[in-house]
């Protein structure tokens, strides 16, 4: 079972360039999330989607955009990367209900130089 | 607003017991999650508490006191593979998880 797959695993990106981080899940979960994780800080929510066709802003949405054309895919785009976007990015999905656990992809380590 | 506090780092000995605390402040309460994250890997689910008391799951147990805004994760018979970060998280009013910074647990032989 694949679960959640992210690509690429790591990337070095020049400042000002754009990039799309890919995320695909095969669990048919309605809810999907993008987080960034920085040293000394907790996971911070960038954007989320409760179901295909809808998206919402999280705690730190500036500089990022998402789309949810179907249930399985939830790409995250950086339109014009800046060094402060250097981070580890995790995509996650969860099923229905308050107690639903989140399943995470393996992460994308992005360095903006 | 929401706030979650955990110790930054703890050290324990193989075979021993360790308790990792988490305090939280939320406008409402919809449960509390614990996740484990090994270095360089993704977080994985450990437990969910919504009622007061202790929930035991093998070597790991999780406790919740809603009146005190307090939870702890208890790890027994520590093994070297338990070296990891332990993340506490609570849903906000929109059911989006707010995460603590995590507690890095170092296990020594």
């Amino acid at each position: 079972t694949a679960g959640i797959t992210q690509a690429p695993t790591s990337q070095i990106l020049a400042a000002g360039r754009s990039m799309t981080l890919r995320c695909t899940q095969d669990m048919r979960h309605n809810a999907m999330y993008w987080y960034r994780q920085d040293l000394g800080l907790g996971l911070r929510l960038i954007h989320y989607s409760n179901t295909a066709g809808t998206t919402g802003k999280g705690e730190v949405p500036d500089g990022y955009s998402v789309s949810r054309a179907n249930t399985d895919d939830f790409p995250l785009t950086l339109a014009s990367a800046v060094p402060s976007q250097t981070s580890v990015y995790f995509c996650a999905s969860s099923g229905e209900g308050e107690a639903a656990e989140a399943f995470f992809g393996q992460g994308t380590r992005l360095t903006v130089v | 607003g929401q706030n979650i506090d955990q110790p930054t780092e703890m050290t324990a000995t193989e075979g021993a017991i360790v308790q990792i605390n988490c305090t939280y402040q939320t406008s409402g309460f919809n449960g509390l999650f614990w996740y484990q994250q090994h270095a360089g890997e993704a977080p994985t689910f450990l437990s969910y508490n919504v009622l007061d008391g202790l929930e035991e799951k093998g070597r790991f147990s999780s406790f919740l006191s809603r009146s005190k805004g307090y939870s702890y994760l208890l790890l027994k018979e520590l093994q070297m593979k338990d070296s990891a970060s332990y993340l506490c998280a609570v849903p906000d009013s929109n059911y989006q998880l707010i995460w603590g910074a995590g507690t890095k647990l170092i296990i020594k032989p």
Side-chain angles (χ1 to χ4, degrees), chain A residues 22-39:
Chain A
R22 300 184 298 279
C23 176
T24 299
Q25 54 114 349
D26 64 1
M27 296 174 283
R28 308 303 293 171
H29 286 162
N30 281 325
M32 296 189 74
Y33 315 88
W34 273 106
Y35 294 96
R36 59 178 292 172
Q37 187 174 41
D38 302 290
L39 196 63

Side-chain angles (χ1 to χ4, degrees), chain B:
Chain B
Q2 318 268 143
N3 191 46
I4 299 177
D5 288 312
Q6 306 178 234
T8 301
E9 186 174 297
M10 299 181 70
T11 301
T13 304
E14 189 177 15
I17 299 173
V18 70
Q19 177 176 311
I20 302 174
N21 297 327
C22 171
T23 58
Y24 63 88
Q25 295 174 322
T26 58
S27 53
F29 184 74
N30 296 305
L32 184 143
F33 292 83
W34 283 98
Y35 281 75
Q36 179 189 59
Q37 185 178 24
H38 286 100
E41 298 184 8
T44 56
F45 172 82
L46 286 178
S47 67
Y48 172 75
N49 293 69
V50 67
L51 299 177
D52 289 350
L54 187 69
E55 299 244 354
E56 298 187 64
K57 192 185 293 186
R59 292 189 300 112
F60 291 12
S61 302
S62 55
F63 172 83
L64 176 68
S65 170
R66 289 173 294 174
S67 63
K68 296 182 179 178
Y70 168 69
S71 173
Y72 67 72
L73 185 67
L74 191 71
L75 289 71
K76 303 176 184 177
E77 302 169 16
L78 286 170
Q79 302 175 10
M80 298 303 294
K81 68 178 182 180
D82 297 330
S83 292
S85 289
Y86 292 86
L87 314 179
C88 174
V90 295
D92 66 13
S93 56
N94 292 320
Y95 296 94
Q96 304 304 330
L97 289 178
I98 304 296
W99 298 80
T103 299
K104 182 178 181 179
L105 178 63
I106 299 168
I107 309 296
K108 296 186 175 180

Side-chain angles (χ1 to χ4, degrees), chain A residues 68-82:
Chain A
R68 187 85 184 278
N70 57 62
T71 297
D72 298 344
D73 301 301
F74 191 42
L76 176 74
T77 297
L78 288 70
S80 179
V82 294

